[in-house]
């Protein structure tokens, strides 16, 4: 084995703590709570916290890595973050009594590497401003988008599986997990989740076409824009087909959640959103059993057009920039109302927990007839004061408890 005996001892100690937490009844209670929300049943609003600025969060070396081997460090990092969240900002997370082994794969991608200039305000942060250089300018460039090739390294997967089994023998079982490994939908899952792929073709497209340029082209050169998005959706489906053919999925896509967004479409009308995103992307959403649409783009005025084009729509994102009253009126109790509070409150020059409480109480009172999830995400900074996020989590737990059904 390539890892050190000391590393193994460190990981086993962390695994014992995970196993102890996973055995607590609160996990099963939360699984039931999430199931009720997913089934469109009225229940206490669930609280999800993710996309955390981990470089700002360490207190008393709780997140400091003590292993030396790179493979062991990857496991240790995940386990320490789970334990940290459990101690300080649980939300409605669920800790599983299992260690996940993902499939080891190689993906050639879409054939284009972004060319970008970056500007940082914090060298430790992975959040920074970017200026993209245009690489796709017309129909002749669309073929630059290639069909990805996926290969599965069964030997390496088995090797890593046996290493994990050896490390956690007698403490936690190791389970081979299929694709996808996306954690954004159910961050309350402690291991590698098999819930959804994060399908955002427009996030890639604008890196290659330029944001302003492609928005103008929707008006001036619609056929060109259609060719770009159709090519991207085809590429995504080509990848999904390979996952199925290589048996990398734990179940058919019809058993998974689909999730997607077109964040750049915050700037376009419902009709253009439908024409250039929802209609061409429907081929993807058709493959999944349930769908969750939206991210940071305001969707309060687009609910009907999304329902029309996204089959089996079960959840819709309501970002900090929605008209909250109109959003509530549009969604009611027909779709899960995935509310995204503004993470800017955590970055303010002065932390104001009472303002957070007032805002949350006001919003949840307005949405009391909706089926609500709360997603605190896109947290670029807490000004190196992690206690802000801890307190936000405590406030969210207290406020949502008033709406227990």
């Amino acid at each position: 084995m390539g890892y050190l005996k000391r590393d193994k001892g460190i990981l086993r100690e962390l695994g014992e703590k995970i196993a102890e937490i996973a055995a607590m009844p609160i996990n099963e209670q939360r699984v039931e709570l999430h199931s009720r929300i997913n089934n469109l049943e009225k229940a206490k609003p669930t609280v999800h916290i993710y996309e955390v600025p981990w470089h700002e969060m360490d207190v008393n070396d709780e997140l400091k890595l003590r292993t030396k081997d790179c493979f062991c460090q990857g496991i240790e990092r995940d386990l320490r973050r789970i334990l940290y969240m459990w101690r300080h900002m649980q939300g409605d997370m669920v800790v599983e009594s299992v260690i996940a082994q993902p499939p080891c794969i190689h993906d050639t991608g879409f054939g284009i590497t972004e060319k970008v200039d970056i500007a940082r305000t914090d060298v430790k942060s992975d959040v920074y401003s970017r200026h993209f250089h245009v690489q796709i300018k017309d129909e002749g460039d669309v073929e630059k988008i290639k069909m990805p090739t996926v290969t599965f390294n069964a030997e390496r997967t088995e090797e890593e599986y046996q290493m994990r089994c050896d490390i956690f023998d007698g403490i936690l079982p190791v389970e081979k997990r299929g694709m996808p490994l996306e954690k954004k939908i159910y961050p309350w899952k402690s291991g590698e989740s098999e819930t959804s792929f994060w399908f955002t073709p427009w996030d890639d497209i604008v890196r290659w076409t330029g944001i302003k340029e492609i928005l103008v082209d929707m008006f001036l050169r619609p056929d060109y824009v259609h060719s770009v998005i159709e090519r991207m959706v085809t590429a995504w489906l080509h990848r999904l087909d390979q996952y199925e053919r290589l048996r990398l999925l734990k179940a058919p896509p019809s058993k998974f959640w689909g999730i997607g967004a077109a964040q750049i479409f915050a700037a376009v009308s419902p009709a253009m959103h439908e024409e250039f995103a929802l209609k061409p992307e429907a081929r993807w959403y058709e493959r999944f059993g349930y769908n969750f649409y939206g991210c940071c783009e305001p969707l309060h005025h687009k609910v009907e057009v999304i329902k029309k084009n996204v089959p089996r729509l079960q959840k819709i994102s309501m970002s900090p920039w929605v008209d909250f009253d109109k959003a509530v009126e549009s969604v009611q109790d027909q779709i899960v109302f995935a509310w995204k509070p503004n993470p800017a409150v955590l970055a303010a020059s002065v932390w104001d927990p009472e303002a957070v409480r007032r805002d949350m109480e006001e919003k949840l009172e307005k949405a009391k007839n909706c089926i609500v999830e709360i997603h605190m995400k896109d947290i670029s900074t807490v000004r190196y004061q992690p206690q802000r996020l801890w307190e936000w989590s405590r406030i969210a737990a207290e406020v949502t408890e008033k709406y227990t059904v």
Side-chain angles (χ1 to χ4, degrees):
M1 295 296 183
Y3 49 86
L4 305 176
K5 182 178 180 180
R6 179 176 175 274
D7 286 0
K8 179 177 177 179
I10 292 169
L11 295 181
R12 285 180 65 82
E13 182 179 346
L14 294 174
E16 288 171 351
K17 294 177 181 178
I18 294 291
E20 181 180 346
I21 293 170
M24 295 180 180
I26 186 63
N27 290 287
E28 289 303 318
Q29 295 168 16
R30 287 177 178 168
V31 167
E32 174 61 25
L33 175 60
H34 291 294
S35 295
R36 291 178 62 189
I37 294 287
N38 290 342
N39 290 328
L40 299 181
E41 299 175 16
K42 290 297 294 295
K44 182 195 85 69
T46 51
V47 179
H48 307 252
I49 302 170
Y50 51 109
E51 296 179 356
V52 173
W54 286 108
H55 65 287
E56 296 188 12
M57 301 303 292
D58 201 5
V59 174
N60 299 324
D61 289 338
E62 290 182 65
L63 296 170
K64 181 180 178 180
L65 299 183
R66 292 167 173 79
T67 56
K68 301 300 182 182
D69 179 82
C70 291
F71 176 75
C72 293
Q73 285 185 339
I75 299 173
E76 182 186 7
R77 182 177 294 107
D78 286 345
L79 297 185
R80 289 198 182 279
R81 288 179 178 181
I82 292 168
L83 293 170
Y84 183 99
M85 292 195 70
W86 188 265
R87 295 187 194 105
H88 301 300
M89 47 189 198
Q90 288 185 28
D92 286 299
M93 69 184 292
V94 173
V95 177
E96 297 178 293
S97 57
V98 66
I99 296 293
Q101 170 59 50
C104 297
I105 67 169
H106 178 260
D107 189 323
T108 60
F110 299 116
I112 306 180
T113 302
E114 66 181 41
K115 296 179 181 178
V116 61
D117 301 320
I118 65 174
R120 296 180 181 271
T121 57
D122 183 344
V123 295
K124 296 180 180 180
S125 176
D126 58 3
V127 177
Y128 45 82
S129 296
R130 289 176 284 187
H131 173 261
F132 299 106
H133 294 265
V134 174
Q135 300 182 72
I136 296 179
K137 299 179 180 179
D138 53 39
E139 285 87 345
D141 290 330
V142 175
E143 294 298 315
K144 291 180 179 179
I145 302 173
K146 304 301 183 183
M147 298 298 110
T149 298
V150 177
T151 53
F152 171 51
N153 190 331
E155 183 178 350
R156 179 58 185 171
T157 300
E158 181 63 25
E159 180 182 345
E160 290 189 3
Y161 172 73
Q162 293 299 334
M163 291 167 67
R164 283 183 166 90
C165 287
D166 179 66
I167 292 169
F168 296 104
D169 182 42
I171 298 175
L172 288 167
V174 180
E175 178 180 302
K176 291 182 180 179
R177 292 280 174 93
M179 297 293 289
L181 302 179
E182 178 58 56
K183 297 181 181 180
K184 291 181 183 248
I185 305 309
Y186 292 107
W188 45 268
K189 298 282 272 185
S190 67
E192 301 289 358
S193 118
E194 60 268 353
T195 53
S196 176
F197 293 95
W198 178 234
F199 174 66
T200 54
W202 275 104
D203 282 4
D204 287 316
I205 289 171
V206 297
R207 299 166 189 257
W208 307 328
T209 63
I211 298 173
K212 178 182 68 176
E213 290 84 353
I214 200 70
L215 288 174
V216 172
D217 283 333
M218 289 178 195
F219 177 72
L220 296 180
R221 299 191 293 168
D223 290 343
Y224 155 62
V225 179
H226 282 303
S227 68
V228 174
I229 183 59
E230 292 290 350
R231 177 80 172 177
M232 273 299 286
V233 174
T234 297
W236 274 83
L237 288 169
H238 181 75
R239 173 190 281 154
L240 182 61
D241 289 341
Q242 291 176 84
Y243 285 146
E244 287 199 87
R245 186 167 60 252
L246 293 170
R247 297 183 178 180
L248 296 178
L249 303 177
K250 188 173 181 179
S254 60
K255 301 295 184 181
F256 291 144
W257 282 83
I259 176 172
Q263 298 179 79
I264 193 62
F265 281 67
V268 308
S269 68
M272 292 185 76
H273 197 131
E274 179 179 37
E275 179 181 354
F276 295 105
L278 295 169
K279 281 187 174 180
E281 292 170 355
R283 290 190 288 150
W284 174 268
Y285 296 115
E286 284 286 359
R287 299 282 290 272
F288 293 87
Y290 299 99
N291 286 299
F292 180 173
Y293 191 83
C295 189
C296 296
E297 68 277 33
L299 298 174
H300 60 273
H301 58 312
K302 298 180 178 180
V303 173
E304 289 306 313
V305 74
I306 294 169
K307 289 167 63 176
K308 174 184 172 184
N309 288 277
V310 178
R312 297 173 294 282
L313 179 67
Q314 201 84 347
K315 302 186 182 187
I316 189 166
S317 171
M318 288 300 164
S319 78
W321 298 279
V322 299
D323 181 317
F324 200 88
D325 292 329
K326 290 182 179 179
V328 168
E329 182 181 354
S330 298
V331 174
Q332 300 182 42
D333 62 352
Q334 303 303 303
I335 312 169
V336 175
F337 190 105
W339 174 42
K340 314 284 182 63
N342 196 332
V345 299
L346 299 167
S349 57
V350 177
W351 168 238
D352 189 349
E354 289 311 308
V356 168
R357 184 183 298 274
R358 286 193 303 272
D359 180 64
M360 192 173 296
E361 289 177 341
E362 175 188 326
K363 295 293 197 308
L364 290 185
E365 183 60 28
K366 289 181 176 181
K368 63 183 178 182
N369 293 321
C370 298
I371 301 164
V372 179
E373 292 179 341
I374 303 176
H375 294 251
M376 174 52 78
K377 61 184 290 287
D378 295 314
I379 309 166
S380 59
T381 181
V382 292
R383 287 183 171 252
Y384 285 86
Q385 298 173 40
Q387 295 82 1
R388 292 183 174 196
L389 189 52
W390 304 355
E391 190 166 8
W392 184 94
S393 177
R394 179 179 60 79
I395 292 169
E398 292 171 357
V399 174
T400 56
E401 194 63 32
K402 298 177 183 179
Y403 293 89
T404 300
V405 177

